[in-house]
Amino acid sequence: MDINTARSLVTAAAFVAFIGIVWWAYGKSRQPHFDQIARSVLEEEDNAQGEKRHG
């Protein structure tokens, strides 16, 4: 196996890993969990601002 074959295999493996990560991140079964996390960040920010206004 020469260096070009090894580079091709590494490139193909990286591409497969990238596609796997994208598939995992955008999977429909994970959407409710990610939506909850996104809302929690905004709710924490709103709570912190509310405490500053009243405190």
Side-chain angles (χ1 to χ4, degrees):
M1 174 172 20
D2 65 341
I3 190 71
N4 290 327
T5 303
R7 288 178 181 168
S8 297
L9 291 175
V10 169
T11 300
F15 182 70
V16 169
F18 173 76
I19 295 299
I21 290 169
V22 170
W23 177 76
W24 175 82
Y26 287 101
K28 290 190 184 279
S29 64
R30 288 162 191 80
Q31 185 175 2
H33 179 68
F34 290 147
D35 288 343
Q36 178 186 4
I37 292 170
R39 283 190 305 272
S40 70
V41 171
L42 295 175
E43 290 169 357
E44 289 174 7
E45 185 176 301
D46 288 344
N47 289 339
Q49 289 178 357
E51 291 172 3
K52 290 178 184 176
R53 290 180 191 160
H54 299 294

